[in-house]
Coordinates of all heavy atoms in Angstrom, one line a residue:
F1 N 0.8 -1.2 0.0 CA 0.0 0.0 0.0 C 0.9 1.3 0.0 O 1.7 1.5 0.9 CB -0.9 0.0 1.2 CG -1.8 1.3 1.3 CD1 -2.9 1.3 0.6 CD2 -1.4 2.3 2.1 CE1 -3.7 2.5 0.6 CE2 -2.2 3.5 2.2 CZ -3.4 3.5 1.4
L2 N 0.5 2.1 -0.9 CA 1.3 3.4 -1.1 C 0.3 4.5 -1.6 O -0.6 4.2 -2.4 CB 2.5 3.4 -2.0 CG 3.7 2.6 -1.6 CD1 4.7 2.3 -2.7 CD2 4.4 3.3 -0.4
R3 N 0.5 5.7 -1.1 CA -0.3 6.8 -1.7 C 0.5 7.5 -2.8 O 1.8 7.5 -2.7 CB -0.6 7.8 -0.6 CG -1.6 7.3 0.5 CD -1.7 8.2 1.6 NE -2.7 7.8 2.6 CZ -2.4 6.9 3.7 NH1 -1.2 6.5 3.8 NH2 -3.3 6.6 4.5
R4 N -0.1 8.1 -3.7 CA 0.5 8.8 -4.8 C 1.3 10.0 -4.3 O 0.7 10.7 -3.5 CB -0.5 9.1 -5.9 CG 0.2 9.7 -7.2 CD -0.8 9.9 -8.2 NE -0.3 10.4 -9.5 CZ 0.0 11.6 -9.8 NH1 -0.2 12.6 -8.9 NH2 0.5 11.9 -11.0
G5 N 2.5 10.2 -4.8 CA 3.2 11.4 -4.4 C 4.7 11.4 -4.8 O 5.2 10.5 -5.5
P6 N 5.4 12.4 -4.5 CA 6.8 12.6 -5.0 C 7.7 11.7 -4.2 O 7.5 11.4 -3.0 CB 7.1 14.1 -4.7 CG 6.2 14.5 -3.6 CD 5.0 13.7 -3.9
R7 N 8.7 11.1 -4.9 CA 9.7 10.2 -4.3 C 11.1 10.5 -4.9 O 11.3 10.7 -6.1 CB 9.3 8.8 -4.7 CG 10.3 7.7 -4.1 CD 9.8 6.3 -4.4 NE 9.7 6.0 -5.8 CZ 10.7 5.5 -6.6 NH1 11.9 5.6 -6.1 NH2 10.5 5.3 -7.8
G8 N 12.0 10.6 -3.9 CA 13.4 10.7 -4.3 C 13.8 9.4 -5.0 O 13.5 8.3 -4.4
E9 N 14.7 9.5 -6.0 CA 15.0 8.3 -6.7 C 16.0 7.3 -5.9 O 16.1 6.2 -6.1 CB 15.7 8.6 -8.1 CG 14.7 9.2 -9.0 CD 15.4 9.3 -10.4 OE1 15.5 8.3 -11.1 OE2 15.7 10.5 -10.8
D10 N 16.5 7.9 -4.7 CA 17.4 7.1 -3.9 C 16.6 6.3 -2.9 O 17.2 5.6 -2.1 CB 18.5 7.9 -3.3 CG 18.0 9.0 -2.4 OD1 16.8 9.4 -2.5 OD2 18.7 9.5 -1.6
L11 N 15.3 6.6 -2.8 CA 14.5 5.8 -1.9 C 13.6 4.8 -2.6 O 12.7 5.1 -3.3 CB 13.5 6.8 -1.1 CG 12.9 6.3 0.2 CD1 12.4 7.4 1.1 CD2 11.8 5.3 0.0
V12 N 14.1 3.6 -2.4 CA 13.4 2.4 -3.0 C 12.7 1.7 -1.8 O 13.4 1.3 -0.8 CB 14.4 1.4 -3.6 CG1 13.7 0.2 -4.2 CG2 15.2 2.2 -4.8
M13 N 11.4 1.5 -1.9 CA 10.6 1.0 -0.8 C 11.2 -0.3 -0.2 O 11.3 -0.4 1.0 CB 9.2 0.8 -1.2 CG 8.5 2.0 -1.8 SD 8.5 3.4 -0.6 CE 7.8 4.7 -1.6
E14 N 11.5 -1.2 -1.0 CA 12.0 -2.5 -0.5 C 13.4 -2.4 0.1 O 13.7 -3.3 1.0 CB 12.1 -3.6 -1.6 CG 10.7 -4.0 -2.1 CD 10.2 -3.1 -3.3 OE1 10.7 -2.0 -3.4 OE2 9.4 -3.6 -4.1
D15 N 14.1 -1.3 -0.1 CA 15.4 -1.1 0.4 C 15.4 -0.2 1.7 O 16.5 0.0 2.3 CB 16.3 -0.5 -0.6 CG 16.7 -1.5 -1.8 OD1 16.5 -2.7 -1.6 OD2 17.1 -1.0 -2.9
C16 N 14.3 0.5 2.0 CA 14.2 1.4 3.0 C 14.8 1.0 4.3 O 15.6 1.6 5.0 CB 12.9 2.1 3.0 SG 12.7 3.5 4.2
L17 N 14.2 -0.1 4.8 CA 14.6 -0.6 6.1 C 16.1 -0.9 6.2 O 16.8 -0.7 7.1 CB 13.8 -1.8 6.5 CG 13.9 -2.2 7.9 CD1 13.7 -1.1 9.0 CD2 12.9 -3.4 8.3
D18 N 16.6 -1.5 5.1 CA 18.0 -1.8 5.0 C 18.8 -0.5 5.0 O 19.9 -0.4 5.7 CB 18.3 -2.5 3.7 CG 18.1 -4.0 3.9 OD1 17.7 -4.5 4.9 OD2 18.2 -4.7 2.8
D19 N 18.4 0.5 4.3 CA 19.1 1.8 4.2 C 19.2 2.4 5.7 O 20.3 2.9 6.1 CB 18.4 2.8 3.4 CG 18.5 2.4 1.9 OD1 19.4 1.6 1.5 OD2 17.7 2.9 1.1
L20 N 18.1 2.4 6.4 CA 18.1 3.0 7.8 C 19.0 2.1 8.7 O 19.6 2.7 9.5 CB 16.6 3.1 8.3 CG 15.7 3.9 7.4 CD1 14.3 3.8 8.0 CD2 16.1 5.4 7.4
T21 N 18.8 0.8 8.6 CA 19.6 -0.1 9.4 C 21.1 0.2 9.3 O 21.9 0.3 10.2 CB 19.3 -1.5 9.2 OG1 17.9 -1.7 9.4 CG2 20.1 -2.5 10.1
R22 N 21.5 0.3 8.0 CA 22.9 0.6 7.7 C 23.4 1.9 8.4 O 24.5 2.0 8.9 CB 23.1 0.5 6.2 CG 24.5 0.5 5.7 CD 24.6 0.1 4.3 NE 23.6 0.6 3.4 CZ 22.6 -0.1 2.8 NH1 22.6 -1.4 3.1 NH2 21.7 0.4 2.1
D23 N 22.6 2.9 8.3 CA 22.9 4.2 8.8 C 22.9 4.1 10.4 O 23.8 4.7 11.1 CB 21.9 5.2 8.4 CG 22.6 6.6 8.4 OD1 23.2 6.9 7.4 OD2 22.3 7.4 9.4
A24 N 22.0 3.4 11.0 CA 22.0 3.2 12.4 C 23.3 2.5 13.0 O 23.9 2.9 13.9 CB 20.7 2.5 12.9
V25 N 23.6 1.4 12.3 CA 24.8 0.7 12.6 C 26.0 1.5 12.5 O 26.9 1.5 13.4 CB 24.9 -0.6 11.7 CG1 26.3 -1.2 11.8 CG2 23.8 -1.6 12.1
K26 N 26.2 2.4 11.4 CA 27.3 3.3 11.3 C 27.3 4.3 12.4 O 28.4 4.5 13.0 CB 27.1 4.0 9.9 CG 28.3 4.9 9.6 CD 28.2 5.6 8.4 CE 29.3 6.6 8.1 NZ 29.2 7.3 6.7
F27 N 26.2 4.8 12.8 CA 26.2 5.7 14.0 C 26.7 5.1 15.3 O 27.5 5.6 15.9 CB 24.7 6.2 14.2 CG 24.6 7.2 15.3 CD1 24.7 8.6 15.1 CD2 24.3 6.8 16.6 CE1 24.5 9.5 16.1 CE2 24.2 7.7 17.7 CZ 24.3 9.0 17.4
I28 N 26.3 3.8 15.5 CA 26.7 3.1 16.7 C 28.2 2.9 16.7 O 28.9 3.1 17.6 CB 25.9 1.7 16.8 CG1 24.5 2.0 17.1 CG2 26.6 0.9 17.9 CD1 23.6 0.8 16.9
R29 N 28.7 2.4 15.5 CA 30.1 2.2 15.4 C 31.0 3.5 15.6 O 31.9 3.5 16.2 CB 30.5 1.6 14.0 CG 30.0 0.2 13.8 CD 30.2 -0.3 12.4 NE 29.8 -1.7 12.2 CZ 29.5 -2.2 10.9 NH1 29.7 -1.5 9.8 NH2 29.1 -3.5 10.9
T30 N 30.5 4.5 14.9 CA 31.2 5.8 15.0 C 31.3 6.3 16.4 O 32.2 6.7 16.9 CB 30.6 6.8 14.0 OG1 30.7 6.3 12.7 CG2 31.4 8.1 14.2
E31 N 30.1 6.4 17.0 CA 30.0 7.0 18.4 C 30.6 6.1 19.5 O 31.0 6.5 20.5 CB 28.5 7.4 18.7 CG 28.0 8.4 17.7 CD 28.8 9.6 17.4 OE1 29.4 10.1 18.5 OE2 28.9 10.1 16.4
S32 N 30.6 4.8 19.2 CA 31.2 3.9 20.2 C 32.6 4.1 20.4 O 33.3 3.8 21.4 CB 30.9 2.4 19.8 OG 29.6 2.1 19.9
S33 N 33.3 4.6 19.3 CA 34.7 4.9 19.4 C 35.1 6.1 20.1 O 36.3 6.4 20.5 CB 35.3 5.0 17.9 OG 34.7 6.2 17.2
N34 N 34.1 6.9 20.5 CA 34.3 8.2 21.2 C 34.1 7.8 22.7 O 33.0 7.7 23.2 CB 33.3 9.2 20.8 CG 33.6 10.5 21.6 OD1 34.4 10.6 22.5 ND2 32.8 11.6 21.3
K35 N 35.2 7.6 23.4 CA 35.2 7.1 24.8 C 34.9 8.3 25.8 O 34.6 8.0 27.0 CB 36.5 6.5 25.1 CG 37.0 5.3 24.2 CD 35.9 4.2 24.2 CE 36.4 3.1 23.3 NZ 35.3 2.0 23.1
E36 N 34.8 9.5 25.3 CA 34.6 10.6 26.1 C 33.2 11.0 26.2 O 32.8 11.8 27.1 CB 35.5 11.8 25.6 CG 37.0 11.6 25.6 CD 37.6 11.1 27.0 OE1 37.2 11.8 28.0 OE2 38.4 10.2 27.0
K37 N 32.4 10.6 25.2 CA 31.0 11.0 25.2 C 30.0 9.9 24.9 O 30.2 9.2 23.9 CB 31.0 12.1 24.1 CG 29.7 12.9 24.1 CD 29.8 14.1 23.2 CE 28.8 15.1 23.4 NZ 29.0 16.4 22.7
P38 N 29.1 9.6 25.8 CA 28.1 8.6 25.4 C 27.1 9.1 24.3 O 27.1 10.2 24.0 CB 27.3 8.5 26.8 CG 27.4 9.8 27.4 CD 28.8 10.4 27.0
F39 N 26.4 8.2 23.8 CA 25.5 8.4 22.7 C 24.1 8.0 23.0 O 23.9 7.0 23.8 CB 25.9 7.9 21.4 CG 26.0 6.4 21.3 CD1 24.7 5.7 20.9 CD2 27.1 5.6 21.5 CE1 24.7 4.3 20.8 CE2 27.1 4.2 21.3 CZ 25.8 3.6 21.0
F40 N 23.1 8.7 22.4 CA 21.7 8.3 22.5 C 21.3 8.1 21.0 O 21.4 9.1 20.2 CB 20.9 9.3 23.1 CG 19.4 9.2 22.9 CD1 18.7 8.0 23.1 CD2 18.6 10.3 22.4 CE1 17.4 7.9 22.8 CE2 17.3 10.1 22.1 CZ 16.6 8.9 22.4
L41 N 20.8 6.9 20.6 CA 20.2 6.7 19.3 C 18.7 6.3 19.4 O 18.4 5.3 20.1 CB 21.0 5.6 18.6 CG 20.4 5.1 17.3 CD1 20.4 6.3 16.3 CD2 21.1 3.9 16.8
Y42 N 18.0 7.1 18.8 CA 16.5 6.8 18.6 C 16.4 6.2 17.2 O 16.6 6.9 16.3 CB 15.7 8.1 18.8 CG 14.2 8.0 18.5 CD1 13.5 6.9 18.8 CD2 13.5 9.1 17.9 CE1 12.1 6.9 18.6 CE2 12.2 9.0 17.7 CZ 11.5 7.9 17.9 OH 10.1 7.9 17.7
F43 N 15.9 5.0 17.1 CA 15.9 4.3 15.9 C 14.4 3.8 15.6 O 14.1 2.7 15.8 CB 16.8 3.1 15.9 CG 16.9 2.3 14.6 CD1 16.6 2.9 13.5 CD2 17.4 0.9 14.7 CE1 16.8 2.1 12.2 CE2 17.6 0.3 13.5 CZ 17.2 0.8 12.3

């Protein structure tokens, strides 16, 4: 189910959850290396 509307060509519906997961994992890896500052991730 989708409603008609504008879509960026880099957003493919079947890939969306993978795209977001990849970015969340990158955030965790990057911020985990900063031992001086904790992180909060809302996913």
Side-chain angles (χ1 to χ4, degrees):
F1 178 82
L2 290 168
R3 296 172 174 87
R4 186 177 186 275
R7 176 176 62 83
E9 292 189 75
D10 62 341
L11 197 161
V12 178
M13 301 303 173
E14 291 90 337
D15 294 337
C16 184
L17 190 53
D18 277 356
D19 292 343
L20 298 174
T21 302
R22 192 160 38 246
D23 208 79
V25 166
K26 182 179 178 181
F27 181 90
I28 292 168
R29 289 173 178 165
T30 300
E31 299 310 321
S32 294
S33 65
N34 183 355
K35 304 304 180 183
E36 302 301 318
K37 198 167 191 173
F39 68 83
F40 164 55
L41 174 62
Y42 173 38
F43 186 22

